[in-house]
Amino acid sequence: MKVVIGDRELSATPGERLLDVARRNGLPLEGTCNGDLACATCHVIVAADWFANLPPARDEEEDMLDLVADARRTSRLACQIVLTPALDKLSVSLP
Protein backbone atom coordinates (compact mmCIF):
# COMPACT_ATOMS: atom_id res chain seq x y z
CA MET A 1 0.00 0.00 0.00
CA LYS A 2 0.98 3.65 -0.34
CA VAL A 3 0.63 6.81 1.73
CA VAL A 4 1.27 10.37 0.65
CA ILE A 5 3.13 12.60 3.09
CA GLY A 6 3.60 16.07 1.68
CA ASP A 7 4.64 15.58 -1.92
CA ARG A 8 6.11 12.10 -1.41
CA GLU A 9 4.31 8.83 -2.09
CA LEU A 10 5.71 6.18 0.25
CA SER A 11 5.31 2.43 0.58
CA ALA A 12 3.67 1.20 3.77
CA THR A 13 2.54 -2.08 5.29
CA PRO A 14 -0.91 -2.62 6.80
CA GLY A 15 -0.63 -2.50 10.59
CA GLU A 16 2.26 -0.05 10.49
CA ARG A 17 1.97 3.35 12.15
CA LEU A 18 2.19 6.42 9.96
CA LEU A 19 4.95 7.70 12.25
CA ASP A 20 7.10 4.67 11.44
CA VAL A 21 6.60 5.11 7.69
CA ALA A 22 7.69 8.75 7.96
CA ARG A 23 10.75 7.91 10.06
CA ARG A 24 11.85 5.10 7.76
CA ASN A 25 11.79 7.56 4.87
CA GLY A 26 13.72 10.32 6.64
CA LEU A 27 10.84 12.75 7.10
CA PRO A 28 11.06 15.23 9.98
CA LEU A 29 8.52 13.72 12.37
CA GLU A 30 10.20 13.44 15.72
CA GLY A 31 7.79 11.28 17.73
CA THR A 32 9.71 11.95 20.94
CA CYS A 33 7.42 9.85 23.16
CA ASN A 34 7.32 7.00 20.60
CA GLY A 35 3.55 6.84 20.66
CA ASP A 36 2.90 7.06 24.40
CA LEU A 37 0.71 10.17 23.93
CA ALA A 38 3.05 12.31 25.99
CA CYS A 39 3.95 14.79 23.24
CA ALA A 40 2.72 16.10 19.91
CA THR A 41 5.97 16.02 17.93
CA CYS A 42 4.43 13.78 15.27
CA HIS A 43 1.57 16.17 14.45
CA VAL A 44 0.28 15.85 10.87
CA ILE A 45 -2.59 17.43 9.01
CA VAL A 46 -4.81 14.88 7.32
CA ALA A 47 -6.25 15.84 3.95
CA ALA A 48 -9.89 16.84 4.46
CA ASP A 49 -11.20 14.14 2.13
CA TRP A 50 -9.41 11.45 4.18
CA PHE A 51 -10.17 12.69 7.69
CA ALA A 52 -13.54 10.91 8.05
CA ASN A 53 -11.92 7.59 7.06
CA LEU A 54 -9.79 7.55 10.22
CA PRO A 55 -11.05 6.16 13.51
CA PRO A 56 -11.87 9.00 15.94
CA ALA A 57 -9.02 10.31 18.06
CA ARG A 58 -8.97 9.11 21.67
CA ASP A 59 -9.33 11.71 24.41
CA GLU A 60 -5.59 11.46 25.18
CA GLU A 61 -4.71 12.31 21.58
CA GLU A 62 -7.16 15.23 21.59
CA ASP A 63 -5.51 16.50 24.80
CA MET A 64 -2.08 16.47 23.11
CA LEU A 65 -3.45 18.20 20.01
CA ASP A 66 -4.85 20.95 22.24
CA LEU A 67 -1.21 21.87 22.99
CA VAL A 68 -0.28 22.27 19.31
CA ALA A 69 -0.14 25.94 18.31
CA ASP A 70 -0.91 25.31 14.63
CA ALA A 71 -3.45 22.49 15.06
CA ARG A 72 -6.30 22.37 12.59
CA ARG A 73 -9.63 20.59 12.44
CA THR A 74 -8.00 17.68 10.60
CA SER A 75 -4.89 17.46 12.79
CA ARG A 76 -3.86 14.06 14.13
CA LEU A 77 -0.78 12.44 15.66
CA ALA A 78 1.02 10.14 13.24
CA CYS A 79 1.80 7.70 16.05
CA GLN A 80 -1.93 7.08 16.46
CA ILE A 81 -2.70 6.39 12.80
CA VAL A 82 -2.42 2.66 12.21
CA LEU A 83 -2.54 1.95 8.50
CA THR A 84 -5.12 -0.43 7.05
CA PRO A 85 -5.91 -1.35 3.44
CA ALA A 86 -8.83 1.12 3.64
CA LEU A 87 -6.24 3.89 4.11
CA ASP A 88 -4.33 3.08 0.91
CA LYS A 89 -3.23 6.44 -0.57
CA LEU A 90 -3.93 8.30 2.69
CA SER A 91 -2.72 11.87 2.24
CA VAL A 92 -1.28 14.03 5.02
CA SER A 93 0.90 17.11 5.19
CA LEU A 94 3.46 18.24 7.69
CA PRO A 95 2.78 21.51 9.52
Side-chain angles (χ1 to χ4, degrees):
M1 71 180 289
K2 302 284 185 185
V3 295
V4 178
I5 302 177
D7 61 354
R8 295 181 59 188
E9 184 174 272
L10 307 171
S11 294
T13 303
E16 190 172 25
R17 298 180 308 169
L18 184 62
L19 173 61
D20 298 323
V21 174
R23 283 177 169 172
R24 184 176 67 247
N25 287 279
L27 295 175
L29 280 180
E30 194 170 325
T32 302
C33 73
N34 201 32
D36 288 336
L37 289 169
C39 74
T41 59
C42 66
H43 169 226
V44 296
I45 301 165
V46 179
D49 55 335
W50 277 101
F51 191 73
N53 296 13
L54 296 174
R58 297 185 350 216
D59 288 342
E60 297 88 352
E61 181 180 0
E62 291 287 350
D63 290 345
M64 287 294 101
L65 288 169
D66 286 344
L67 303 174
V68 175
D70 57 348
R72 301 190 186 149
R73 185 186 61 78
T74 61
S75 288
R76 291 295 301 266
L77 299 180
C79 67
Q80 299 302 300
I81 299 175
V82 177
L83 299 169
T84 65
L87 296 176
D88 187 34
K89 303 281 181 161
L90 171 70
S91 179
V92 305
S93 60
L94 303 178

